[in-house]
Amino acid sequence: MRKEDPRTFWIGVIVGLIVALVITYVIAIGGAFVGGIVAGWVAGGGGRKSRQIGGKAGVFTGLLDALALAAVIAVLGIEAAPGDLALLRFLGSTLLITLMLFPVLGFVGYLGGVLGGALKER
């Protein structure tokens, strides 16, 4: 069984974040999911713990994606957000939408990371 390599883990998170940011421009939830898959696959390693490592990398990717998206919303406003988040304007508060991003995108990134780690395990 391989040990977790911190360099591979953070490379996976960074590559997954780049993919997530590109896809987030179109749809926010899809960016975190696909970025989590990429991060989980790169960081997975291929051992029995690939899903756990991939899930952790996916969470980091989702949270960093949420942080970048929250910064864009804070600076440019909700009008600059992807279309699926702009639909949430009826909630009224940009702060509420921003705070909702972190747990939602973190969980979606986790699901993608577990899937990516499982793909690497095979």
Side-chain angles (χ1 to χ4, degrees), residues 26-28 73 78-92 97 100:
V26 178
I27 182 168
I73 290 174
I78 195 69
E79 290 80 20
D84 57 340
L85 292 180
L87 291 175
L88 296 177
R89 271 187 259 177
F90 69 89
L91 293 174
I97 295 169
M100 285 177 16

Side-chain angles (χ1 to χ4, degrees), residues 24-25 66-89 92-98 101:
T24 296
Y25 184 69
L67 184 66
L69 194 55
V72 167
I73 290 174
V75 172
L76 300 175
I78 195 69
E79 290 80 20
D84 57 340
L85 292 180
L87 291 175
L88 296 177
R89 271 187 259 177
S93 172
T94 304
L95 179 63
L96 178 65
I97 295 169
T98 302
L101 289 177

Side-chain angles (χ1 to χ4, degrees), residues 2-38:
R2 269 183 38 156
K3 288 203 162 244
E4 180 182 350
D5 185 13
R7 290 177 295 170
T8 306
F9 176 80
W10 287 109
I11 288 172
V13 170
I14 290 169
V15 170
L17 178 63
I18 292 169
V19 170
L21 289 176
V22 168
I23 296 175
T24 296
Y25 184 69
V26 178
I27 182 168
I29 302 297
F33 185 71
V34 174
I37 290 174
V38 171

